[in-house]
Amino acid sequence: MGEYRVAPLEMLIEQFEQFPSIGHKTASRLAYHVLSMSEEQAQGFSKAIINAHRNIHHCRICCNLTDTEICSVCGDESRDKSIICVVEDFRDVIALEKTREFNALYHVLNGVLSPLNGVTPDKLCIKELLARLGDDTVKEVIMATNATVEGEATAMYLSKLIKPLGIKVTRLAYGLPIGADLEYADEVTLSRAISGRSNI
Amino acid sequence: MGEYRVAPLEMLIEQFEQFPSIGHKTASRLAYHVLSMSEEQAQGFSKAIINAHRNIHHCRICCNLTDTEICSVCGDESRDKSIICVVEDFRDVIALEKTREFNALYHVLNGVLSPLNGVTPDKLCIKELLARLGDDTVKEVIMATNATVEGEATAMYLSKLIKPLGIKVTRLAYGLPIGADLEYADEVTLSRAISGRSNI
């Protein structure tokens, strides 16, 4: 008994299965949706993929993702140029921008130090960061790497490079998230909240 | 304060948001994955979309989706040509094929009758079905439309067209699904299970 197979559909399902947390069922559903698109929509989707992939690259200054030579943050004259916030990933920039609290510049490392995985300092955008600290514009560098072993190690490594330049190096505050129940907080967060307590 | 925006990325996220049950967060995650692909992978993904969309069409005989003129089921000489199973959608064919129990032919209506939504008999692949019943090959037509109001109405409509041709028309059995708890079965299913009871 011959099986019912549609090769181009199967290939498309396989493509969707490559995406993170997309299993066979969801991949099939996404592929079926592509089949139900108009010719114009399918063309538009296909072009958006190529377009995003081809036109997005790293900002020449801060190594953030951008489709222009210099990203919109670095090109924004109204921002405070004396503070640089160092993050691991462009997604962190998006998260910080959502707060609408931070009106200075960023630097995206595009990874964290992880010698075991072959991520040595030369693999990250560190020399670009140091190049920005050459003139006396920058007064403070905020380390906003994640609170993981690698994130902390990267922050330590960078602070040892930057402090000798006479620039203040700070770290994001750690403690209880707003709205969290003390009861459910993990012990590491709680001990950081205790050691970092402030006067009221 | 200028916002951080990457137009091609936003366009790609918007495209993913068009998919069923994909919200902004998942769409972003999928778009980020596209950015992390190699040039070759992105090209492959983009091509798979166009390829599936362009090369998949309806089988000339059974109106099922196929990338060849006649689908692999209709072209399979080992199948029983005296039985046709009528389904709403190509996904139903995939579901039935998975059982490996059914070794006859299909006919895909590509929809169900729904006059209120403008789906009249001429919108479905009904004339293609009747064309297959012209010679005396087909002895039985199994209605496998879904057990919805529209599905039932479509099955009734078709059976009224087909029965006068002297062909047996059957419907899939309804009752309790295997492994289901009697306690949790809905009353319609349960009453169908009672009225359709058989000797053991």
Side-chain angles (χ1 to χ4, degrees):
Chain A
M1 177 167 135
E3 249 183 295
Y4 169 56
R5 301 192 62 172
V6 188
L9 180 62
E10 280 172 21
M11 277 165 57
L12 185 57
I13 293 174
E14 267 168 40
Q15 287 283 345
F16 276 114
E17 280 176 332
Q18 308 292 317
F19 282 80
S21 71
I22 299 284
H24 185 73
K25 279 219 166 174
T26 311
S28 305
R29 212 156 32 79
L30 296 176
Y32 299 159
H33 181 74
V34 170
L35 295 186
S36 72
M37 283 177 175
S38 70
E39 177 70 25
E40 207 177 32
Q41 286 174 312
Q43 287 278 1
F45 181 42
S46 166
K47 268 184 202 146
I49 289 160
I50 292 298
N51 202 17
H53 199 268
R54 208 168 270 167
N55 296 335
I56 296 178
H57 48 85
H58 292 162
C59 168
R60 194 166 53 77
I61 298 175
C62 73
C63 303
N64 194 0
L65 293 184
T66 176
D67 57 330
T68 45
E69 202 200 337
I70 291 172
C71 77
S72 56
V73 173
C74 290
D76 182 357
E77 284 302 319
S78 73
R79 285 184 182 246
D80 181 353
K81 297 202 183 316
S82 70
I83 304 175
I84 291 180
C85 179
V86 176
V87 295
E88 291 180 17
D89 196 288
F90 74 99
R91 275 168 267 196
D92 303 326
V93 173
I94 294 173
L96 285 162
E97 283 294 284
K98 273 196 195 138
T99 66
R100 300 183 174 275
E101 283 285 322
F102 187 72
N103 192 22
L105 301 177
Y106 295 97
H107 192 86
V108 183
L109 295 174
N110 288 303
V112 269
L113 289 178
S114 178
L116 284 177
N117 299 316
V119 186
T120 45
D122 56 297
K123 297 278 196 316
L124 305 179
C125 296
I126 292 177
K127 64 178 186 298
E128 290 87 347
L129 173 61
L130 297 177
R132 297 174 73 184
L133 308 177
D135 52 3
D136 272 343
T137 330
V138 180
K139 304 292 178 206
E140 181 180 354
V141 174
I142 306 174
M143 289 295 157
T145 51
N146 289 324
T148 56
V149 175
E150 287 95 349
E152 296 280 359
T154 308
M156 286 304 296
Y157 175 85
L158 289 177
S159 89
K160 276 185 187 154
L161 284 180
I162 297 166
K163 270 185 189 160
L165 306 173
I167 296 169
K168 194 165 118 187
V169 181
T170 56
R171 188 99 176 84
L172 285 189
Y174 290 107
L176 295 167
I178 304 303
D181 236 346
L182 208 72
E183 184 181 359
Y184 299 120
D186 64 290
E187 48 266 60
V188 184
T189 302
L190 212 47
S191 72
R192 289 292 280 264
I194 295 169
S195 65
R197 68 190 181 278
S198 58
N199 295 321
I200 51 167
Chain B
M1 176 167 136
E3 250 184 295
Y4 169 57
R5 300 191 62 173
V6 189
L9 180 62
E10 281 172 20
M11 277 164 58
L12 185 58
I13 293 174
E14 267 169 41
Q15 288 282 346
F16 276 115
E17 280 177 330
Q18 309 292 317
F19 282 79
S21 72
I22 300 285
H24 185 72
K25 280 221 166 175
T26 311
S28 304
R29 211 155 33 79
L30 296 176
Y32 299 158
H33 181 73
V34 170
L35 296 185
S36 72
M37 284 176 176
S38 70
E39 178 71 26
E40 205 176 32
Q41 285 174 313
Q43 288 279 1
F45 182 41
S46 166
K47 267 185 204 144
I49 290 160
I50 292 297
N51 202 17
H53 200 268
R54 208 168 269 166
N55 296 337
I56 296 179
H57 48 84
H58 293 162
C59 168
R60 195 166 53 77
I61 298 175
C62 72
C63 302
N64 195 0
L65 292 184
T66 176
D67 57 330
T68 45
E69 202 199 340
I70 291 173
C71 78
S72 56
V73 174
C74 291
D76 182 356
E77 284 302 320
S78 74
R79 285 185 182 245
D80 181 355
K81 297 201 182 314
S82 70
I83 303 177
I84 291 180
C85 179
V86 176
V87 295
E88 291 179 18
D89 196 287
F90 75 98
R91 275 168 268 196
D92 304 326
V93 174
I94 294 173
L96 285 162
E97 282 294 285
K98 273 196 195 139
T99 65
R100 301 184 174 274
E101 282 286 321
F102 188 73
N103 192 21
L105 302 176
Y106 295 99
H107 193 85
V108 183
L109 296 173
N110 287 302
V112 269
L113 290 178
S114 178
L116 285 177
N117 298 318
V119 186
T120 47
D122 57 298
K123 297 279 196 313
L124 304 180
C125 297
I126 292 178
K127 64 177 188 299
E128 289 86 350
L129 173 61
L130 297 178
R132 298 174 72 182
L133 308 177
D135 54 1
D136 273 343
T137 330
V138 180
K139 304 293 179 208
E140 182 180 353
V141 174
I142 306 174
M143 291 295 160
T145 52
N146 289 326
T148 56
V149 175
E150 286 95 350
E152 296 280 0
T154 308
M156 286 304 296
Y157 174 86
L158 289 176
S159 89
K160 275 185 187 153
L161 284 180
I162 297 167
K163 269 186 191 161
L165 306 174
I167 296 168
K168 193 164 120 187
V169 181
T170 54
R171 188 99 176 84
L172 286 190
Y174 289 108
L176 295 167
I178 305 304
D181 234 346
L182 209 72
E183 185 180 358
Y184 300 119
D186 64 290
E187 48 268 62
V188 184
T189 302
L190 211 47
S191 71
R192 289 291 282 267
I194 295 169
S195 66
R197 68 191 180 278
S198 58
N199 295 320
I200 51 164

